[in-house]
Amino acid sequence: MRYLERPSPLSKITDLLSQIRPIEDVLTIPTWDAAGFVAARDVVMPHDYPPRPRAAYDGYAVNSAETPGEFVVVGSILVGQYREARVGRGEAYYVTVGAFLPEGADAVVPEEAARREGDRISVSRKYNAYDNVDPPGAYAPKGAVLVKKGQVLTVFDVVALLDVGVTKVRAYRRPKIAIFSTGDELIKPPIDPDEAAELVLRGKVIESTGSLVEWYIRNYMPYVEIADRRVMGDDNEALKKAVEEALQKVDAVIVTGGAGPSEIDHFYKLGFAGIRGFRMKPGRPTSVAVVNGKVVFGLSGYPISALHGTIRIVEPVMRKMANVVAGPGNGWVYATLAADVTGELAQFVRAKAEYKDGEIVATPLRTKHHSFTDPDASGVLLIPPGGAKRGDKVLMLLYRDPRDMGRWFA
Amino acid sequence: MRYLERPSPLSKITDLLSQIRPIEDVLTIPTWDAAGFVAARDVVMPHDYPPRPRAAYDGYAVNSAETPGEFVVVGSILVGQYREARVGRGEAYYVTVGAFLPEGADAVVPEEAARREGDRISVSRKYNAYDNVDPPGAYAPKGAVLVKKGQVLTVFDVVALLDVGVTKVRAYRRPKIAIFSTGDELIKPPIDPDEAAELVLRGKVIESTGSLVEWYIRNYMPYVEIADRRVMGDDNEALKKAVEEALQKVDAVIVTGGAGPSEIDHFYKLGFAGIRGFRMKPGRPTSVAVVNGKVVFGLSGYPISALHGTIRIVEPVMRKMANVVAGPGNGWVYATLAADVTGELAQFVRAKAEYKDGEIVATPLRTKHHSFTDPDASGVLLIPPGGAKRGDKVLMLLYRDPRDMGRWFA
């Protein structure tokens, strides 16, 4: 399979996907290290959070039934303090945001709304149960699904899970990949910049294709672990040995360079059966072979062509191997609002994003608290002061992949 | 300035921007380390690249005037080899993609289009000058502007510059920032996950706000160097000392937590003059102060609120300080095509992106080569097989910020 006379359509990759073995190993990962991993089970709340009523404002914890009225401040509970305490009739505790309320209290009077003299406060209006309070389970009730199986955990998920006390998750082992950049012409930084420039003018090439592929994988495919990265020459035997050794340790190998049909190209000389050449431009010589359930990719030595091959071919194959159902997004996009968002203030609102006819349609999610715990949320909307209307375009910081991967090979 | 009775509108930040001292120090950075830095000068091509005609295809370098015809293959020049060579009448050199052509040759006959027997080839059709060849300066001619002053260098710029032999750039020193997460309630990973979960149920909080802010800065504000990151308690004196010491070494300090008006909040106790409280939700207590041209930010202790404050307040201030004119983008967006892109193959096409009425409008750039050297390019379009029409929505991988920052405070 030396020449590229009949490159395959991209849709051919779907045949190959059926030969890919998804990773089955499941690990327990501390949540703070879990960004980029793929949830192997639905992540379900093991308890209510907060486990008991929690102050949502700095002020005085009271029994709402006694408002309006006068109270004696008998103590204070600061966030992070855990204290067995209760308010008796006519008593209040000073609490700070996030503190658990003492027994008997069900509302918080904001500090600036109470008139205090010495250890006495006067509250001039009626408060209701749970005013300025997060009731038990308000952030997430026991049994709630926080992350769905197959979702790639993002930094937002990590924050949300830690917030409600979910400190470990069951995740698939990430497939390991090796990236071998090949070419006798390659020089590898760091070297003296002036010397490097001189070498480029004499025909050498500063290695950057592997760097670009690595950058894309780190940013858009964090569910893949880059286990090895080398810059090598064009020696076919050395490459063959390196690839075969790598396949003992990793799940996939990318070879950049040597993808063409020339005498010095080496990818075809590796002799792997697979698909060689796709109907794409640039990156026509992009190749892929399945070897005992593992995968070897051949990418162009040109950065832009290699990146195209990574996106079109490497990414869908590795998503399959990594068990990805919903990839990570990152980036600012303009989304079309599916509902009005009212309010005078500049707002930051979680939303569900859906792809519809080439637009990201964002449905704001109604959450009164500060957490992110909603597996349907896929980003945060930046709403200008004064609010925004249904149909308006607003900026959205996405943390799930906005792309319609279902149409990937169309 | 303890209470937050009259938070400022976001537009108030523009007053403060006038007090910010932009960084003036300019450094020379090797290009391979330059991603995230802001260009302090236009980056201008010091030479033509390629410096001489270069093969764009594997095959035989010939004098096009002699085609069709028969040639003797007198040698080979592989990519990366620099060789004083010339073709005489009836002679050809075997060349691989990227190799500089020998003197006297001006076209490449693709390997598979020539009939070879022994050291002789037969070329059956006419080739023109520069067929399958990149002429001198084709990637970038001497004097071309590759990156504009004020643009944040992205990984794409790095690849483009290295490709054409620009191995160092003049860039502004990046402003340094320290991130201090405060709160007696904070626990800092790594610790035993089960113990951490238990502590959360007793009111403790696993530090994640600082992590989220750091993540945003690393991904969306790489022009800022994170020089210090700490988790501290609520001790006001210790914090004051830490902030004052930090301001000797860094250009800005972020304090997360303690931003409210309660007795245990400490940001207002630092006593810096500035803007305290903004008309935004969440993150109302977000504060900012200018201290001798340096900046101290107070952010909420809640992750989502701190992130909102980072985007609304920290980012514009640091952009000003870092001399950013065009920020880095990253992420997949749907863009509206401003012109047809024809072709049967699946394509990957550089484009200029502009914001228009809440849409990203992408104008494909006509470049026949594989480089990215165009300061107007801001991303790469993924064109489906068969092409796409003007007005179609297509996926675009952006590397410049898609946001209309001119309307940031509207």
Side-chain angles (χ1 to χ4, degrees), chain A residues 2 32 94 97 111 167-168 191 193-194 216 220 262 281 302 312 330-332 334 346 355 370 383 404, chain B residues 2 32 58 94 97 111 167-168 191 193-194 220 262-263 281 302 304 312 330-331 334 346 355 383 404:
Chain A
R2 180 172 174 189
W32 42 81
Y94 178 74
V97 176
E111 187 173 1
T167 54
K168 50 192 186 184
I191 68 165
D194 294 322
Y216 188 84
Y220 298 94
S262 84
K281 178 179 140 185
Y302 283 115
R312 297 275 192 188
N330 61 34
W332 284 102
Y334 286 100
Y355 169 89
H370 288 278
I383 304 288
D404 182 7
Chain B
R2 181 171 172 190
W32 42 82
D58 296 322
Y94 178 74
V97 176
E111 188 173 0
T167 55
K168 51 192 183 183
I191 68 167
D194 294 322
Y220 298 94
S262 84
E263 287 177 13
K281 179 179 139 186
Y302 282 113
I304 183 91
R312 297 274 192 189
N330 60 37
Y334 285 100
Y355 169 89
I383 304 289
D404 182 8

Side-chain angles (χ1 to χ4, degrees), chain B residues 134-361:
Chain B
D134 295 318
Y139 276 37
K142 186 173 177 174
V145 174
L146 303 187
V147 178
K148 289 182 192 155
K149 178 180 172 174
Q151 286 186 332
V152 176
L153 289 144
T154 70
V155 66
F156 287 80
D157 296 312
V158 167
V159 167
L161 293 174
L162 292 180
D163 206 25
V164 297
V166 178
T167 55
K168 51 192 183 183
V169 294
R170 299 282 283 164
Y172 289 108
R173 174 176 75 75
R174 296 189 300 166
K176 292 180 182 171
I177 204 163
I179 304 172
F180 297 162
S181 307
T182 67
D184 289 338
E185 76 281 13
L186 296 179
I187 52 181
K188 192 184 167 211
I191 68 167
D192 175 71
D194 294 322
E195 189 189 334
E198 185 59 32
L199 288 167
V200 170
L201 292 180
R202 296 179 73 85
K204 294 287 183 192
V205 173
I206 302 170
E207 205 300 304
S208 69
T209 299
S211 307
L212 186 63
V213 169
E214 179 178 346
W215 168 83
Y216 188 83
I217 292 174
R218 287 198 193 284
N219 278 273
Y220 298 94
M221 302 163 56
Y223 46 81
V224 171
E225 179 188 339
I226 297 174
D228 195 358
R229 172 128 143 64
R230 296 186 210 171
V231 177
M232 305 178 65
D234 277 320
D235 180 328
N236 184 49
E237 286 308 310
L239 176 66
K240 191 162 189 159
K241 187 155 172 285
V243 171
E244 281 168 2
E245 282 177 9
L247 285 175
Q248 304 299 313
K249 296 178 201 153
V250 301
D251 303 285
V253 177
I254 289 173
V255 178
T256 75
S262 84
E263 287 177 13
I264 60 158
D265 282 318
H266 42 64
F267 190 81
Y268 69 89
K269 295 178 190 160
L270 292 172
F272 296 125
I275 309 173
R276 185 160 148 70
F278 283 93
R279 294 182 56 73
M280 56 189 277
K281 179 179 139 186
R284 196 168 63 119
T286 302
S287 300
V288 55
V290 179
V291 184
N292 300 326
K294 298 186 169 186
V295 187
V296 182
F297 300 99
L299 301 181
S300 165
Y302 282 113
I304 183 91
S305 310
L307 180 61
H308 196 197
T310 301
I311 291 166
R312 297 274 192 189
I313 307 299
V314 177
E315 189 172 3
V317 169
M318 297 310 293
R319 280 172 71 97
K320 174 78 185 284
M321 192 183 277
N323 300 286
V324 173
V325 174
N330 60 37
W332 284 102
V333 300
Y334 285 100
T336 305
L337 266 184
D340 295 357
V341 179
T342 56
E344 279 310 301
L345 303 180
Q347 291 177 74
F348 198 43
V349 179
R350 271 141 293 175
K352 175 177 184 171
E354 288 163 296
Y355 169 89
K356 276 184 192 157
D357 304 325
E359 286 188 309
I360 308 282
V361 177

Side-chain angles (χ1 to χ4, degrees), chain A residues 9-339:
Chain A
L10 291 176
S11 57
K12 193 88 185 334
I13 198 78
T14 53
D15 300 350
L16 191 123
L17 287 179
S18 64
Q19 302 170 46
I20 303 295
R21 274 204 305 253
I23 300 284
E24 292 177 3
D25 311 345
V26 174
L27 313 171
T28 299
I29 316 257
T31 302
W32 42 81
D33 292 331
F37 282 84
V38 179
R41 313 273 183 271
D42 285 358
V43 180
V44 178
M45 274 300 281
H47 50 248
D48 276 341
Y49 193 88
R52 37 193 293 186
R54 203 176 97 143
Y57 213 92
D58 296 321
Y60 300 96
V62 298
N63 177 349
S64 60
E66 297 179 46
T67 57
E70 309 269 319
F71 298 85
V72 180
V73 182
V74 296
S76 66
I77 305 176
L78 308 182
V79 57
Q81 289 181 338
Y82 188 81
R83 175 176 299 187
E84 294 299 338
R86 70 174 293 123
V87 293
R89 189 156 188 83
E91 290 180 347
Y93 265 80
Y94 178 74
V95 292
T96 59
V97 176
F100 292 157
L101 262 50
E103 295 287 325
D106 64 358
V108 170
V109 178
E111 187 173 1
E112 60 269 36
R115 220 176 50 238
R116 179 162 184 169
E117 280 180 42
D119 64 352
R120 305 190 76 84
I121 58 164
S122 160
V123 176
S124 58
R125 76 161 180 84
K126 171 71 183 159
Y127 284 82
N128 295 311
Y130 297 137
D131 275 357
N132 301 311
V133 166
D134 295 318
Y139 276 36
K142 185 173 175 173
V145 174
L146 303 187
V147 178
K148 289 182 193 156
K149 177 178 171 177
Q151 286 186 331
V152 176
L153 288 145
T154 71
V155 67
F156 287 80
D157 296 314
V158 167
V159 167
L161 294 174
L162 291 180
D163 207 26
V164 297
V166 178
T167 54
K168 50 192 186 184
V169 293
R170 299 283 283 165
Y172 289 108
R173 175 176 73 74
R174 295 189 301 165
K176 292 181 184 171
I177 204 164
I179 303 173
F180 297 162
S181 307
T182 66
D184 289 338
E185 76 282 12
L186 296 178
I187 53 181
K188 190 185 168 210
I191 68 165
D192 174 71
D194 294 322
E195 189 189 332
E198 185 59 32
L199 288 168
V200 170
L201 291 180
R202 297 179 73 85
K204 293 286 184 191
V205 173
I206 303 171
E207 204 300 303
S208 69
T209 299
S211 307
L212 187 64
V213 169
E214 179 178 346
W215 167 84
Y216 188 84
I217 292 175
R218 287 200 192 282
N219 278 272
Y220 298 94
M221 301 163 57
Y223 46 81
V224 171
E225 179 188 339
I226 296 174
D228 194 357
R229 171 128 143 64
R230 297 186 210 172
V231 177
M232 305 178 64
D234 276 321
D235 180 329
N236 183 49
E237 285 307 310
L239 177 67
K240 191 161 187 160
K241 187 155 174 284
V243 171
E244 281 169 359
E245 283 175 10
L247 286 175
Q248 304 299 313
K249 296 176 200 156
V250 301
D251 303 286
V253 177
I254 289 174
V255 177
T256 75
S262 84
E263 285 178 15
I264 61 158
D265 283 316
H266 43 64
F267 190 81
Y268 69 89
K269 295 177 190 160
L270 292 173
F272 295 126
I275 309 173
R276 185 160 147 70
F278 284 93
R279 293 182 54 75
M280 56 189 277
K281 178 179 140 185
R284 196 169 63 120
T286 302
S287 299
V288 54
V290 179
V291 184
N292 300 326
K294 298 187 171 186
V295 186
V296 182
F297 301 98
L299 301 181
S300 166
Y302 283 115
I304 184 89
S305 310
L307 181 60
H308 196 197
T310 301
I311 291 166
R312 297 275 192 188
I313 307 299
V314 178
E315 189 172 2
V317 169
M318 296 311 292
R319 282 173 69 99
K320 173 79 186 282
M321 192 184 277
N323 299 286
V324 173
V325 173
N330 61 34
W332 284 102
V333 300
Y334 286 100
T336 304
L337 267 184

Side-chain angles (χ1 to χ4, degrees), chain B residues 50-102:
Chain B
R52 38 194 293 188
R54 203 175 97 143
Y57 213 93
D58 296 322
Y60 300 96
V62 298
N63 178 350
S64 60
E66 296 180 44
T67 58
E70 309 270 317
F71 299 84
V72 180
V73 182
V74 295
S76 66
I77 305 177
L78 308 182
V79 56
Q81 289 181 339
Y82 188 82
R83 176 176 297 188
E84 293 299 336
R86 70 172 294 122
V87 293
R89 190 156 187 84
E91 290 179 346
Y93 266 81
Y94 178 74
V95 293
T96 60
V97 176
F100 293 156
L101 261 51

